[in-house]
Amino acid sequence: MSEGTPVKVNGARVRSADWFAAEGRQGFLHRSWIRNEGFTDELFDGRPVIGIANSWSELTPCNAHLRTVAEAVKRGVLMAGGFPLEFPTMSLGETIMRPTTMLYRNLMAMEVEESIRANPLDGVVLLSGCDKTTPAQLMGAASVDLPAIMVTGGPMLNGKFRGRDIGSGTAVWQLTEEFRAGKLTQADLTEAETCMSRSAGHCMTMGTASTMTSVAEALGFTLPGAASIPAADANHSRMASYTGRRIVEMVWEDLKPSDFLTAKAFDNAIVTTHALSGSTNALIHLIAMAGRAGIKLKLDRFDELSRKTPVLANVRPAGQKYLMEDFYYAGGLGALLAVLKDKLDLGCLTVNGRTLGENIAGAKVYNLDVIRPLDNPLAKSGGLAVLRGNLAPDGAVIKPTAAEPHLLKHTGRAVVFRDYNDMAARIDDEKLDIDGNSVIVLQHGGPLGGPGMPEWGQLPIPKKLLAQGVRDMVRISDARMSGTSYGACVLHVAPESYIGGPLAFVRDGDLIELDVAARRLELKVSDAELAMRRAAWIPPKPHYSRGFGALYEKHITQANEGCDFDFLHSGAPTADPEIH
């Protein structure tokens, strides 16, 4: 090694050379300690240092296999002449963390951003899987804007229970409702537990995990086809290795997120979400991700594109039969995008240096029931719909394809719960004045009220109604809902009740009108009565007096603004650290 003379390709000098290729004390300091890992001289010759940001954790079951994925990425980096260094990031396990991973998405994004910027990295491979880990890593990488590419962990294999396929999350809600109705025993549920999650990977339904990994590919942040490959498939390891090779090339090309995260790319991601009838959570995450890329994305844009986009993916929970393993065999996301090509901007650049149009050229659909053609969609439009009205001045969202059709235009009297504990205590009370036409309302489930906007939005149906055969009702909250959930659930009501949004003033017996076709959500109470209720309202006390929670409460934005921190969408870019 000739110290102080870093390798150059096309006249470029890598960023990490300021740490590792310097002469004298500075180079000695940075090289000597890391040599205890057994690295040889050649790795300090100025070749690109590639960080592998790994959200592996045994507390995040969806991401528990990512250490193996990281090894495949390293092979690719080494083959391309790079120097791979794996580092941990915070990991957000949706199924286990409480009160909700959404409380910590921004913390993870900040950690990813600062870890990349503070270390001798020329490019980074992001390893994600579970719901919030994907947007958090993309937000962090977009904010620091060094060459970056994502490897998503891949969906699990289909669950198998008593001769039928069952899907993660969706089966949980279905089977536990049958248990509450007395149609299944605890032994039945225990058997189903062992059958639902039978391989490594994230949810194999079109929940938030599969939606957001598909969004990452549609944005151009992964190699073509990466999002659909099941975690257990050998093609997943090969894709991870190819990604390791590609990030080294991206460093020499200086291809950064700012080069492909454009307004048109976000439109492509929104169209993709609608065609998948993906998770309602995607709206919040895409708004936050766009903000990190300097793009002001409004809720109205989601609804504009929803009206023009057919639902093509017959994948649960919106679909009736199939899961992500079937989607992959049917051609995967590339095939769906090829069907959608006339509704996409095919000129958008992607991480492989080619356009989206070039990436999907030649993609074919192999099962026309899983990925529907344009003339036989699951729904002609409206995979997700944005609602407005005096109950949601800043918007709310519903997934029409996951609701019983007769509830999409409905007026009913409100049955109000002031918070989750109130609901849990009273929902199954035989004396509760409720019927199948009622509208269940939950307050204090939003970004501040939850806190963290938990996935409480699929409110339970009372036992006495389940026994009568009721399986769906209109349910309204300022909370979120798992992407694996289903039902006529109106979510993300903004502004939230905790800060005095109109949802705070709903009372038992008030009539509420939902009209999805008209995109309307109305509380049938006079303006004068609402003003009286508002005047009598007493703001709740904060949840936190210290720590991250206090920072969160001070700076979090509302759902229609992406639930990001306000200070991360303003100010000049943060400069690289000085190297001394």
Side-chain angles (χ1 to χ4, degrees):
M1 179 184 71
S2 176
E3 293 180 6
T5 310
V7 170
K8 292 186 179 183
V9 173
N10 298 329
R13 183 180 191 275
V14 294
R15 176 178 181 265
S16 61
D18 291 337
W19 276 266
F20 289 142
E23 296 179 336
R25 184 176 66 182
Q26 185 169 308
F28 183 98
L29 175 70
H30 294 128
R31 291 188 299 270
S32 59
W33 265 272
I34 204 167
R35 283 184 183 272
N36 76 350
E37 298 179 46
F39 297 130
T40 59
D41 289 354
E42 292 80 8
L43 295 175
F44 300 103
D45 63 2
R47 67 187 64 204
V49 176
I50 304 300
I52 302 173
N54 197 343
S55 59
W56 167 87
S57 172
E58 290 181 337
L59 289 170
T60 306
C62 301
N63 297 20
H65 63 302
L66 291 183
R67 284 195 295 184
T68 302
V69 177
E71 292 304 313
V73 174
K74 289 177 186 177
R75 290 196 297 271
V77 172
L78 290 168
M79 283 190 287
F83 179 7
L85 290 173
E86 182 183 354
F87 65 96
T89 74
M90 190 175 185
S91 194
L92 307 177
E94 186 62 58
T95 58
I96 292 176
M97 287 187 81
R98 293 295 178 265
T100 168
T101 55
M102 192 63 189
L103 183 65
Y104 303 107
R105 183 203 64 184
N106 301 338
L107 180 60
M108 182 180 176
M110 291 171 69
E111 184 200 38
V112 168
E113 175 185 350
E114 301 302 336
S115 295
I116 295 171
R117 182 182 292 112
N119 283 293
L121 304 178
D122 304 302
V124 64
V125 178
L126 309 165
L127 302 189
S128 77
C130 196
D131 297 13
K132 310 305 176 294
T133 60
T134 297
Q137 288 190 332
L138 294 178
M139 289 160 65
S143 295
V144 73
D145 203 31
L146 284 175
I149 190 171
M150 176 166 273
V151 173
T152 58
M156 291 184 283
L157 299 177
N158 291 356
K160 301 286 184 180
F161 177 56
R162 297 180 177 176
R164 60 189 175 101
D165 285 356
I166 59 172
S168 50
T170 302
V172 173
W173 322 127
Q174 291 170 337
L175 296 175
T176 55
E177 289 290 78
E178 295 304 303
F179 171 73
R180 292 178 66 237
K183 297 183 181 297
L184 291 176
T185 67
Q186 182 58 54
D188 294 329
L189 288 186
T190 301
E191 180 186 348
E193 287 175 24
T194 65
C195 300
M196 187 179 74
S197 304
R198 65 187 187 93
S199 79
H202 58 68
C203 288
M204 83 298 276
T205 43
M206 189 52 71
T208 306
S210 293
T211 301
M212 294 312 300
T213 58
S214 298
V215 159
E217 182 173 335
L219 281 171
F221 231 123
T222 75
L223 292 182
S228 307
I229 308 172
D233 195 304
N235 284 314
H236 193 275
S237 292
R238 282 188 278 272
M239 178 273 299
S241 184
Y242 292 142
T243 301
R245 293 167 61 177
R246 177 58 192 156
I247 186 61
V248 177
E249 297 168 352
M250 288 175 65
V251 169
W252 294 124
E253 295 166 9
D254 196 28
L255 180 58
K256 305 182 296 296
S258 58
D259 296 318
F260 53 86
L261 289 183
T262 63
K264 291 179 179 179
F266 278 97
D267 276 355
N268 286 342
I270 294 169
V271 169
T272 301
T273 300
H274 290 316
L276 296 169
S277 196
S279 170
T280 51
N281 288 302
L283 280 75
I284 294 175
H285 298 318
L286 277 164
I287 290 170
M289 289 157 55
R292 297 298 187 95
I295 297 165
K296 198 76 171 176
L297 186 55
K298 298 286 190 179
L299 270 181
D300 290 342
R301 187 59 177 160
F302 288 87
D303 205 61
E304 289 170 15
L305 294 173
S306 174
R307 293 174 184 274
K308 304 173 184 177
T309 306
V311 178
L312 301 180
N314 188 12
V315 179
R316 289 182 243 172
Q320 300 303 309
K321 184 175 182 181
Y322 300 107
L323 297 166
M324 286 300 293
E325 186 180 350
D326 309 302
F327 184 71
Y328 175 61
Y329 301 147
L333 188 67
L336 180 136
L337 295 178
V339 178
L340 278 174
K341 63 183 180 181
D342 291 340
K343 300 181 182 297
L344 300 168
D345 191 308
L346 301 180
C348 288
L349 186 65
T350 71
V351 288
N352 69 350
R354 301 186 182 94
T355 65
L356 180 65
E358 290 172 321
N359 289 343
I360 64 175
K364 290 182 172 59
V365 176
Y366 299 105
N367 186 327
L368 292 174
D369 194 35
V370 180
I371 301 174
R372 298 287 188 87
L374 291 174
D375 60 2
N376 185 31
L378 203 66
K380 291 182 179 179
S381 64
L384 300 172
V386 175
L387 309 172
R388 291 188 187 273
N390 69 345
L391 192 51
D394 293 335
V397 64
I398 188 172
K399 185 189 288 190
T401 50
E404 291 189 6
H406 74 278
L407 293 173
L408 298 179
K409 184 176 175 60
H410 180 82
T411 299
R413 60 183 182 86
V415 177
V416 183
F417 299 98
R418 64 181 178 271
D419 56 31
Y420 190 91
N421 290 333
D422 180 36
M423 181 197 67
R426 296 195 294 126
I427 192 69
D428 288 332
D429 188 338
E430 286 290 330
K431 297 179 181 178
L432 184 67
D433 184 13
I434 191 169
D435 59 37
N437 291 316
S438 300
V439 174
I440 302 176
V441 175
L442 175 68
Q443 299 167 335
H444 293 168
L448 285 162
M453 206 178 179
E455 292 186 342
W456 295 340
Q458 190 190 20
L459 308 176
I461 294 171
K463 276 186 180 180
K464 66 181 182 181
L465 299 184
L466 289 172
Q468 297 170 19
V470 176
R471 290 298 182 270
D472 198 6
M473 296 175 66
V474 174
R475 289 160 275 181
I476 300 173
S477 73
D478 45 16
R480 296 180 302 112
M481 181 172 81
S482 168
T484 66
S485 299
Y486 53 89
C489 299
V490 177
L491 311 157
H492 309 181
V493 171
E496 65 174 305
S497 55
Y498 188 89
I499 64 171
L503 192 69
F505 312 128
V506 183
R507 301 290 180 264
D508 284 338
D510 289 347
L511 290 180
I512 295 176
E513 179 189 12
L514 168 67
D515 188 337
V516 174
R519 301 299 198 261
R520 188 167 65 246
L521 183 66
E522 290 285 335
L523 178 63
K524 297 300 184 177
V525 172
S526 69
D527 291 344
E529 174 64 20
L530 279 178
M532 289 177 58
R533 295 180 186 182
R534 183 176 287 107
W537 178 72
I538 299 173
K541 295 180 180 179
H543 294 283
Y544 299 98
S545 59
R546 62 170 301 278
F548 174 73
L551 175 72
Y552 175 94
E553 288 186 324
K554 184 177 180 181
H555 293 286
I556 196 66
T557 60
Q558 288 291 291
N560 60 301
E561 299 172 307
C563 296
D564 204 356
F565 290 153
D566 52 16
F567 60 83
L568 293 172
H569 287 234
S570 61
T574 303
D576 263 359
E578 295 182 356
I579 311 300
H580 298 298

